[in-house]
Amino acid sequence: MGITIYLLTFAVLLVGLYIVVAKKNIIKIIVGVLIIDYAVNLLLVLVGYRSDGVAPILSPGQTAADLAETGVDPLPQAMVLTSIVIGLGITALMVSMAIRLHQKYGTFDMNRIRKLRG
Amino acid sequence: MGVEHFIVALILFMLIAALIAAETRDLLSAVICIGAAGFALSVIDLLLGAPDLAITQVVVEVIALVLLVRVVLRREDTSTTDARDALRTGAVLLAGGVLLVVTFVAVGGTGADGTIPAFGAATFANPDEALPSPVSSDYLAKGPAETGAANIVMAILLDYRAYDTLGEATVIFVSILGVYVILRQVGRRKQEPVL
């Protein structure tokens, strides 16, 4: 069961890669980058999981030693939290570039944008 | 019926949403599919014991979805001319994926001596006495006493690794600056008369 989860995550990543490489529409490419982002974040969180693990948050009646015994790995979560927010920044940049290209060329299609040049 | 089955079902949902986003002709449908995948990811985070990630993922997902829908709406360009060599690219990527999977399994896959620890195994448990204890177990065991924070993820983010968070804030600031510079309307202002 465990390796199935990892392989499915790889499959999601490959679908995103396929979109980025094969599609010619800028919005599609942005969607592909987002899918790759999701797959990598998911893979990191999956590696940090432990069976029947609890969230690394100290609840009442629980000591830090209990948490060390049952908690999931908090380090990948902290890193992925940073990664998610940075992903939003990247998305905003890509979207603004797409808006600009559409203003200038009137299309999202990379083939037509290339043809229109010069 | 463990939580693993539910996670597998949700990742399958993400995979199907990604495939529909790849192949649909309507850009709005593609954007909505990516939204569905993002919310599924949020539920997976919740199941994996990462409520902070689930909340952040929902917020980021809504903002990204609004941005993308805003771009797609009112811009009448749904002509997704398929690339001529889309089929060939797909075949090459599929072959690459098979190669990746075979390599992954051949070098041990998941497990104690594999490349990735097995799903559900604690990555930081059972430290060798001779080695220093893994940093994650120290965070869990000593975090509440050292930082006073009940949420260990936030203790790492804002205390142990605060410089990382400072860097993250810098990246966000620079990206906002970049969006402003790209979307700024230049050259429309009337020029000052030169004396």
Side-chain angles (χ1 to χ4, degrees):
Chain A
M1 181 53 81
I3 200 157
T4 317
I5 292 181
Y6 285 133
L7 292 182
L8 278 173
T9 312
F10 281 145
V12 176
L13 195 148
L14 281 171
V15 170
L17 197 61
Y18 164 70
I19 295 176
V20 171
V21 173
K23 296 298 173 183
K24 291 295 175 87
N25 193 300
I26 298 175
I27 301 295
K28 280 283 180 77
I29 293 174
I30 294 175
V31 164
V33 173
L34 276 172
I35 290 173
I36 293 177
D37 194 33
Y38 292 164
V40 173
N41 288 345
L42 177 58
L43 189 67
L44 288 176
V45 182
L46 284 172
V47 170
Y49 183 69
R50 101 201 305 191
S51 298
D52 303 320
V54 297
I57 299 172
L58 205 61
S59 33
Q62 197 181 25
T63 64
D66 293 341
L67 207 58
E69 288 298 315
T70 57
V72 300
D73 196 342
L75 193 53
Q77 292 189 18
M79 297 293 113
V80 168
L81 204 60
T82 309
S83 159
I84 289 175
V85 179
I86 287 177
L88 179 66
I90 293 171
T91 312
L93 256 183
M94 288 190 298
V95 164
S96 62
M97 283 182 199
I99 290 173
R100 258 332 226 193
L101 280 172
H102 194 278
Q103 270 181 6
K104 196 165 170 59
Y105 297 106
T107 177
F108 284 130
D109 195 329
M110 278 315 289
N111 277 340
R112 278 200 261 165
I113 289 173
R114 282 205 192 97
K115 270 180 205 152
L116 284 169
R117 181 177 300 153
Chain B
M1 183 69 191
V3 70
E4 286 89 359
H5 295 85
F6 198 31
I7 291 173
V8 166
L10 280 167
I11 300 178
L12 271 177
F13 178 78
M14 279 180 74
L15 188 59
I16 292 167
L19 282 171
I20 295 174
E23 290 309 326
T24 182
R25 294 220 155 242
D26 188 14
L27 287 182
L28 192 58
S29 306
V31 168
I32 289 169
C33 280
I34 191 75
F39 284 117
L41 179 58
S42 163
V43 177
I44 295 173
D45 283 340
L46 207 55
L47 290 175
L48 289 174
D52 307 293
L53 286 186
I55 295 166
T56 316
Q57 180 69 40
V58 166
V59 172
V60 164
E61 189 56 45
V62 168
I63 295 173
L65 207 58
V66 167
L67 277 175
L68 282 169
V69 169
R70 171 73 182 75
V71 177
V72 171
L73 278 186
R74 297 167 53 113
R75 285 186 172 77
E76 298 296 326
D77 180 34
T78 50
S79 62
T80 49
T81 52
D82 284 322
R84 262 173 316 174
D85 50 354
L87 201 65
R88 206 171 52 190
T89 316
V92 169
L93 275 177
L94 191 66
V98 171
L99 186 70
L100 183 71
V101 167
V102 169
T103 316
F104 178 62
V105 174
V107 296
T110 62
D113 49 355
T115 46
I116 297 179
F119 179 73
T123 45
F124 51 90
N126 191 19
D128 193 345
E129 289 298 324
L131 298 171
S133 65
V135 67
S136 295
S137 62
D138 266 4
Y139 285 154
L140 280 175
K142 299 176 186 164
E146 282 179 354
T147 66
N151 189 339
I152 309 296
V153 176
M154 288 304 143
I156 294 174
L157 211 60
L158 298 175
D159 199 313
Y160 289 115
R161 290 174 185 247
Y163 280 123
D164 274 1
T165 310
L166 182 66
E168 175 198 343
T170 312
V171 170
I172 293 299
F173 180 71
V174 169
S175 86
I176 291 171
L177 211 63
V179 170
Y180 174 70
V181 167
I182 290 171
L183 291 182
R184 181 176 55 162
Q185 302 285 338
V186 284
R188 299 283 168 85
R189 217 175 297 136
K190 229 166 73 176
Q191 275 195 336
E192 295 285 321
V194 183
L195 293 176

